[in-house]
């Protein structure tokens, strides 16, 4: 009886630890692929600063942000 409870608690702890690291890995990957800043948000920010961004400028900004993220992640 006591062994069964100990094994159950141990399995629960191992499952929680594995689940935490799996969720952490998934969220990191998700945010790398889908950055929280969208081109529409950049367009709004530039409009607030008095600039009228072209689509080319938006694409350049998004690609530079993705490249910066990859550089930061490769340093870790």
């Amino acid at each position: 009886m006591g062994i069964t409870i100990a094994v159950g608690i141990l399995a629960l702890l191992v499952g929680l630890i594995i689940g935490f690291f799996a969720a952490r890995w998934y969220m990191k990957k998700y945010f790398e692929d889908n950055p929280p800043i969208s081109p529409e948000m950049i367009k709004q920010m530039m409009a607030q600063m008095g600039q009228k961004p072209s689509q080319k400028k938006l694409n350049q900004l998004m690609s530079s942000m993705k490249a910066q993220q990859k550089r930061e992640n490769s340093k870790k």
Side-chain angles (χ1 to χ4, degrees), residues 12-71:
L12 178 66
L13 290 175
V14 169
L16 287 172
I17 291 170
I18 291 173
F20 170 77
F21 285 107
R24 183 174 165 231
W25 171 81
Y26 175 78
M27 290 306 293
K28 278 186 173 184
K29 185 173 180 339
Y30 177 80
F31 282 122
E32 284 177 7
D33 296 339
N34 304 307
I37 296 179
S38 67
E40 290 79 29
M41 292 172 70
I42 293 174
K43 189 183 281 190
Q44 285 180 339
M45 287 189 298
M46 291 182 81
Q48 288 174 349
M49 292 186 294
Q51 299 178 7
K52 184 166 169 59
S54 65
Q55 189 63 39
K56 181 180 177 183
K57 182 72 171 176
L58 288 174
N59 292 341
Q60 286 175 342
L61 284 170
M62 288 302 291
S63 64
S64 69
M65 287 173 57
K66 284 184 180 182
Q68 179 67 27
Q69 268 185 334
K70 286 183 181 182
R71 281 194 300 265

